[in-house]
Amino acid sequence: MGKYILRRLVMLIPTLLGMSILIFGMLRLLPGDILDIIAGTDAQVNEEQMEKLREAMGLADPIPVQYVKWMGNMLTGDPGNSMRSGEPVAELLARALPITLELAILSVLISTIIAVPLGVISAVKRDTPLDFASRVGGLIGLSLPSFWIATLMLLFTSKYFNWTPSLKYVPIYENPIANLKQMILPAIAIGIQLMAIIMRMTRTTMLEVMGQDYVRTARAKGLQDRLVLYRHALKNALIPVITVIGFQLGALMGSSAIVEVIFGLNGMGNTLLQGIFNRDYTLVQAATLYLAIVFVLINLAVDVLYGFLDPRIKQG
Amino acid sequence: MTDINLSDASTLESGRVARQQRKWQSLRALLRNPIGVIGLIIVVATVFIAVFAPAIAPYSPSAIAFQRLQPPSMDHLMGTDEQGRDTFSRIVYGSRVSLQVGIIAVLIALVVGGFLGVIAGYFGGRLDSFLMRVVDILFAFPGLVLAIVIAGLLGPSRRNAMIAIGVVFAPAFARVVRGTVLSVMSEPYIEAGKVVGSGNMRLIRLHVLPNIFAPLIVLVTVYLSSAILSEAGLSFLGLGTQPPEPTWGGMLNVARTYMEILPSMAIFPGLAIAILVLGFNFLGDGLRDVLDPRLRER
């Protein structure tokens, strides 16, 4: 197993290199940089000062040189300073990443707890009105924009409960209750689509597994229905579901970006957006790369977990 | 020698006939599928509304002619917005942006991804491994995050939103098309076509493309729903079509400031997005039941 993980980690290196080139190239080749924005907001800056600024920011170098410098710094763990505020990007992101990760974990937890039982019930009661209702419900859940749900949540809580989200983020280790109060609504808003996806996937795989020989055997030898369901069917049906959850985490970060804006949380999404609007290269390239690394590592973890759950894959 | 040619030709011919029959069976099966039919109705109705928007909308979407922030009434079915424009008319016109951006973005993804997928699957070898490597890298980015970055950097506009969404979706199309092409490549009719001396282009056009059609239809429908959601998300963030042009996402964003005075402002645009996306999801679900042979057998 250790060897397998190591091999997969090594295989990540070319992927990550490719990603970093892609991000970097995109930022440099697309029109407009931070100096245009500074020039747009501050009429006092003249050509000469602009050139000086450009050199100070390292933007005057040829693009490949800039890339190598950036990669060198990234490898030593220093993504540089924000071109806008001068703050170290590492600090900015260290504040933002925990918020987004907590949101992601919370919404995965909530949606799994609700969706898996629904999917199982739907499969067991196949083709009954109950199954039909949860299938339609699943499709509706897939179609609700997370940012609409989030907006409506704020509307109702402020109108009927006189509650508005606090503007300052409270870490969970400081005050768990205040933290959860702050995070639970955005987590649900982000999680509704995931809930629908998990529900549909659980239903499909349960149906598949329930048609397998070992389930029929378990039934035939007189095991209780419930035991067959949990010990034989569900355990096997959940393996593909876990993969789907892993894949969906990426999508989750996307909707998290918008929901963070609505709830005023300074997570990765909000930070990234500010960076984009300011053409803050150092911030955007580091934030995007970190998000991508997190995503890639999660997928790797899912694959490894998959190997543990399904011994047939372990050799792979 | 003639014998072999004959049987090869008949293999090819029978494949074509079977496809024709399947097409009609599929359509009839779709019309028997209640979820698919509801989806079809929603989608067709929205297209109708978008095409005939000038006739359906009671007012101009940009006419600043009414009292601001009115609740829904007989005169203004969905009320008026913060500038005194008729919300219903803006929702009607907004369907144009959603459909246009959604359809063109998916077309971009289909053409780019489909092209790469066919090439990778058909020719295989080193080209295939290289292309799939690139696809893997693009896949390693969270989709909407990448779309936000691309749209933001290209500059917020309708065209750039289409490009951003199209680029983000293209790898998915490349992967599915490649997989399907690979499975088609092992079919006897491809072998037969090669034996009778068909060229690559002819084989791809006549035998590969028609056979990847069914999975592609499902994929396109499902991705249309995602594209419309993404478009709404981008315009919500101000990264899509710019005001004063009405977009559902943009309207929802503005509504956040006023929703405590006028909740309907935040409700209708979101409802419009949800219904259209639901239509495509229902249609995609129905099509999958009908077209996916693995599901059909069950």
Side-chain angles (χ1 to χ4, degrees):
Chain A
M1 205 63 200
K3 227 183 205 169
Y4 168 72
I5 298 175
L6 197 71
R7 211 182 62 217
R8 287 291 308 269
L9 278 173
V10 172
M11 270 165 58
L12 279 184
I13 295 173
T15 308
L16 288 175
L17 264 180
M19 291 167 89
S20 69
I21 293 175
L22 197 80
I23 298 169
F24 197 85
M26 220 161 57
L27 280 169
R28 304 299 140 137
L29 296 178
L30 295 178
D33 61 20
I34 185 162
L35 292 161
D36 298 328
I37 304 231
I38 294 175
T41 48
D42 192 350
Q44 301 287 307
V45 191
N46 61 32
E47 259 322 296
E48 203 178 315
Q49 287 167 308
M50 289 278 278
E51 261 332 292
K52 268 190 193 147
L53 260 176
R54 202 177 293 266
E55 252 163 57
M57 287 177 177
L59 289 173
D61 295 334
I63 291 173
V65 176
Q66 290 184 38
Y67 174 78
V68 172
K69 276 189 186 163
W70 175 54
M71 260 341 259
N73 289 334
M74 280 302 265
L75 288 177
T76 58
D78 174 25
N81 295 337
S82 158
M83 288 183 173
R84 187 73 186 172
S85 63
E87 252 183 296
V89 169
E91 266 174 40
L92 276 171
L93 296 184
R95 273 203 303 268
L97 198 56
I99 300 180
T100 300
L101 283 183
E102 191 192 335
L103 272 181
I105 293 169
L106 258 183
S107 54
V108 165
L109 279 180
I110 295 170
S111 34
T112 310
I113 290 169
I114 296 175
V116 168
L118 279 178
V120 172
I121 293 171
S122 195
V124 173
K125 310 248 180 230
R126 190 187 181 182
D127 291 334
T128 62
L130 193 75
D131 175 33
F132 190 73
S134 59
R135 279 179 70 193
V136 171
L139 282 170
I140 293 177
L142 271 187
S143 313
L144 296 176
S146 57
F147 48 91
W148 187 42
I149 304 288
T151 309
L152 292 185
M153 280 174 164
L154 279 189
L155 175 63
F156 284 108
T157 49
S158 70
K159 221 173 160 68
Y160 297 107
F161 300 102
N162 231 337
W163 177 91
T164 46
S166 61
L167 292 172
K168 205 179 159 302
Y169 172 68
V170 189
I172 193 159
Y173 50 83
E174 266 177 28
N175 187 342
I177 292 172
N179 170 279
L180 283 180
K181 258 190 189 163
Q182 200 172 17
M183 302 295 264
I184 201 94
L185 286 180
I188 294 175
I190 299 167
I192 283 189
Q193 284 210 351
L194 184 63
M195 215 180 284
I197 292 169
I198 298 177
M199 201 279 288
R200 286 157 58 85
M201 191 72 196
T202 311
R203 177 179 180 275
T204 312
T205 54
M206 272 303 277
L207 282 178
E208 220 160 84
V209 167
M210 275 161 39
Q212 297 285 327
D213 290 342
Y214 55 81
V215 171
R216 202 171 310 138
T217 312
R219 280 236 167 85
K221 73 179 184 190
L223 269 186
Q224 269 183 334
D225 265 0
R226 199 184 298 170
L227 263 178
V228 176
L229 212 57
Y230 291 120
R231 189 173 297 169
H232 294 269
L234 186 59
K235 237 168 98 182
N236 287 299
L238 279 184
I239 298 174
V241 174
I242 291 172
T243 324
V244 166
I245 296 176
F247 275 127
Q248 286 302 322
L249 271 169
L252 214 68
M253 285 176 195
S255 38
S256 164
I258 308 184
V259 172
E260 279 170 21
V261 173
I262 298 174
F263 279 88
L265 290 165
N266 269 322
M268 290 297 275
N270 221 345
T271 311
L272 183 65
L273 272 171
Q274 281 157 17
I276 289 172
F277 282 123
N278 289 330
R279 288 285 187 284
D280 191 339
Y281 288 168
T282 36
L283 181 58
V284 174
Q285 63 205 19
T288 322
L289 194 60
Y290 282 157
L291 272 180
I293 291 175
V294 169
F295 184 46
V296 169
L297 286 179
I298 289 172
N299 279 335
L300 174 62
V302 168
D303 278 355
V304 171
L305 193 65
Y306 206 101
F308 270 116
L309 293 174
D310 191 340
R312 281 172 306 180
I313 309 169
K314 212 173 267 177
Q315 285 88 10
Chain B
M1 210 47 208
T2 30
D3 237 323
I4 296 170
N5 271 341
L6 246 182
S7 71
D8 285 338
S10 67
T11 314
L12 290 175
E13 193 48 42
S14 68
R16 210 169 296 151
V17 173
R19 268 199 308 275
Q20 285 293 336
Q21 284 172 346
R22 231 183 293 145
K23 213 181 280 170
W24 289 111
Q25 275 173 7
S26 304
L27 192 66
R28 251 177 279 143
L30 177 68
L31 291 179
R32 273 199 304 269
N33 180 314
I35 290 182
V37 169
I38 296 173
L40 192 64
I41 291 173
I42 294 176
V43 170
V44 170
T46 314
V47 171
F48 182 84
I49 290 172
V51 171
F52 296 103
I56 293 168
Y59 309 99
S60 152
S62 50
I64 306 178
F66 311 103
Q67 209 190 328
R68 299 163 56 219
L69 298 172
Q70 285 180 58
S73 65
M74 283 314 287
D75 283 341
H76 301 285
L77 288 175
M78 298 179 181
T80 58
D81 69 4
E82 83 289 353
Q83 294 191 30
R85 296 171 297 195
D86 181 56
T87 302
F88 176 64
S89 304
R90 288 177 68 72
I91 296 258
V92 167
Y93 273 90
S95 65
R96 291 184 157 187
V97 178
S98 283
L99 283 175
Q100 193 195 7
V101 176
I103 290 170
I104 296 182
V106 171
L107 275 181
I108 294 174
L110 178 67
V111 171
V112 176
F115 177 72
L116 295 178
V118 169
I119 291 187
Y122 187 86
F123 294 105
R126 225 177 255 173
L127 184 68
D128 180 28
S129 1
F130 172 74
L131 287 177
M132 284 306 113
R133 214 53 234 170
V134 175
V135 164
D136 280 346
I137 288 172
L138 275 172
F139 246 124
F141 286 104
L144 191 56
V145 171
L146 191 59
I148 289 173
V149 173
I150 297 177
L153 291 175
L154 282 175
S157 76
R158 180 189 310 203
R159 192 199 61 191
N160 293 342
M162 292 171 186
I163 296 175
I165 300 170
V167 168
V168 169
F169 286 175
F173 280 84
R175 210 177 248 184
V176 171
V177 168
R178 172 185 173 269
T180 328
V181 169
L182 278 182
S183 69
V184 169
M185 290 303 287
S186 61
E187 296 284 339
Y189 51 77
I190 297 287
E191 195 67 45
K194 278 186 182 159
V195 170
V196 297
S198 302
N200 283 336
M201 281 325 286
R202 188 183 158 80
L203 271 178
I204 290 178
R205 195 165 47 87
L206 280 181
H207 300 297
V208 175
L209 289 184
N211 283 298
I212 62 175
F213 192 65
L216 265 189
I217 288 267
V218 177
L219 199 68
V220 163
T221 328
V222 171
Y223 271 89
L224 270 172
S225 75
S226 307
I228 287 164
L229 263 185
S230 308
E231 188 280 329
L234 287 179
S235 17
F236 183 87
L237 291 173
L239 293 172
T241 310
Q242 294 298 299
E245 186 111 20
T247 61
W248 294 343
M251 291 168 75
L252 190 52
N253 186 30
V254 172
R256 289 195 294 143
T257 318
Y258 304 95
M259 65 185 178
E260 289 199 37
I261 318 166
L262 190 59
S264 67
M265 252 180 102
I267 291 171
F268 290 120
L271 203 59
I273 302 168
I275 289 175
L276 181 55
V277 175
L278 187 73
F280 278 110
N281 275 335
F282 270 23
L283 185 60
D285 199 69
L287 283 173
R288 197 193 331 250
D289 279 354
V290 172
L291 292 176
D292 194 330
R294 280 171 306 156
L295 290 173
R296 206 186 311 157
E297 280 157 24
R298 249 179 251 151

